[in-house]
Every structure is written in C-alpha cells, then in structure tokens.
Amino acid sequence: MARFQFLLISVCSFCLLAIPADAGQLVSWKFDPSRNRLDFKTDAGVQPKAVMLLNPTRLVVDLPGISFPKPTITQKLTGNFRSLRAGQFDGNTTRLVLELQPGYTLNPKRVQFTGENPIDWYVTIPVPERGSTLPTLYPRSN
C-alpha cells in the first residue's frame, strides 16, 4: 500500500509539473489611421519587442509571454498601410504585424513605444515615406 501511495504521489507531482503555466493573453488591439497609432492591451504584463522588416515592409511587434488563442486575424487598412495582423507567432509569443503599402517605409527612429503601464501600450508611427530601411526598434515604458 505504501508503494502505491508513493507511486500515485509521484505521478501526480509529475503531471502538475508538466502543465504549462498560464500565459497572459492579448485582450484588444486597434490601429487608428487618423493618428497613426497602434494600441494594444494584454491581461498580463509584457515588454514588447519590435523590428522593421522588408519585402513587404512591415512593423513587427512581438509580445513574449502572451498567447493568442484564436486563428490569425487580419484587418484591411487604407492609405499608406495595407493591413494589421494579430496571431500566435510561436508557443509563447503573440505577434502584431502592421504592413505598409508597397513602396513605403517608416523612419524607425521616429516610431515611439509608450507603456502606460505593463498591460496598456501604444505605438506612435510616423507618416510613411517612399523608400526602404531596416533597423531594430526598442520599446520604452513610462
């Protein structure tokens, strides 16, 4: 009987350790074209990471430790921006992708990340220009 109890406790302990910790989730996101601003909110603290990529030109914002339990959602945009996508990049990262129209780029030095708190963020984006560039961006929280 003691062996059975030990075995049962061992199996239960292993199962509990094997269950992944709950990640935060992306609660909301929107792009306001009149202000060139991307807002997003999570239900857990996050430190976003961002980069500009080419072909096609897009601003990629990764949210480590945040899950997106839905299929990728694409919102068509107008003007200099083609679309905004939200989806699960890998098992631990949600990705927001703001794609520009062909032939346009952003001055990444003018992209500003603002964390109102660890769960509420907004990205102020400069007016797109003709041309191409490829630097890395680092968000700042206030």
Side-chain angles (χ1 to χ4, degrees), residues 75-124:
Q75 173 189 0
K76 298 291 182 192
L77 300 174
T78 60
N80 298 331
F81 298 96
R82 177 178 268 184
S83 64
L84 173 61
R85 290 188 305 274
Q88 191 73 36
F89 174 65
D90 62 27
N92 192 41
T93 305
T94 292
R95 177 168 277 182
L96 297 169
V97 179
L98 184 61
E99 186 174 329
L100 281 74
Q101 293 290 354
Y104 284 89
T105 190
L106 300 173
N107 179 345
K109 292 180 181 177
R110 293 183 55 216
V111 174
Q112 297 179 336
F113 283 78
T114 304
E116 293 181 338
N117 57 57
I119 65 170
D120 291 304
W121 289 82
Y122 64 89
V123 185
T124 305

Side-chain angles (χ1 to χ4, degrees), residues 15 26 31 42 45 70 76 119 123-124 127 142:
C15 290
L26 180 61
F31 180 71
T42 60
K70 304 173 187 174
K76 298 291 182 192
I119 65 170
V123 185
T124 305
V127 174
N142 289 350

